[in-house]
Amino acid sequence: MESRRGPLKSAVPSNVVSPVRRCSRTACGRPAVATLTYVYADSTAVLGPLATYAEPHCYDLCAEHSERLTAPRGWEVVRLLDGSAPARPSGDDLEALANAVREAARPQGRVAGAAGASRGADPMEVARRGHLRVLRSPDN
């Protein structure tokens, strides 16, 4: 007996099933970015990068829900960092950025004078700005 639909037609429209895993929280349809696992013996909730496969006792969470995650009183939350995730800027990063902006904002004359005073004078070097150097033309 042959089917009237044919072999390639599906009973479920293809736009209903999504290949993207969604957040496990009720009424949240955002894409999942992290997986939450509970270790009941240690009273620990472990939040790590999105697992390769959906596991029955794990919960996939979106970015917002993974950031706001709290554990019950007496439990510990362990957050495993994903190596591919961009790191948040530290105080050292912000200080380095501020120093670079200050250096770029200095007048050109002060930069050249400070560069010549702090190191051996290179007769070919006219000025320095950060790691860049302005050199005299060999013709002059």
Side-chain angles (χ1 to χ4, degrees), residues 23-24 31 38 64 95 124:
C23 183
S24 298
Y38 291 106
E64 181 182 342
E95 186 176 346
M124 295 298 289

Side-chain angles (χ1 to χ4, degrees), residues 58-120:
C58 296
Y59 302 91
D60 294 337
L61 299 176
C62 65
E64 181 182 342
H65 286 122
S66 63
E67 287 176 12
R68 296 187 326 177
L69 176 74
T70 59
R73 184 173 290 141
W75 282 59
E76 182 181 357
V77 176
V78 176
R79 295 178 186 269
L80 303 175
L81 298 177
D82 181 10
S84 66
R88 293 188 177 186
S90 69
D92 292 339
D93 294 337
L94 296 176
E95 186 176 346
L97 179 61
N99 289 338
V101 169
R102 282 189 207 107
E103 180 70 27
R106 281 192 189 141
Q108 185 65 24
R110 287 178 53 196
V111 173
S118 66
R119 56 169 181 73

Side-chain angles (χ1 to χ4, degrees), residues 108-109 111-113 115-116 119 122-136:
Q108 185 65 24
V111 173
R119 56 169 181 73
D122 182 359
M124 295 298 289
E125 187 173 321
V126 175
R128 177 182 284 254
R129 186 170 201 148
H131 68 281
L132 302 175
R133 299 184 309 166
V134 177
L135 302 177
R136 270 195 190 94

Side-chain angles (χ1 to χ4, degrees), residues 35-58:
T35 298
L36 173 66
T37 306
Y38 291 106
V39 182
Y40 293 99
D42 297 333
S43 300
T44 304
V46 180
L47 182 68
L50 188 62
T52 307
Y53 300 102
E55 299 288 334
H57 299 290
C58 296

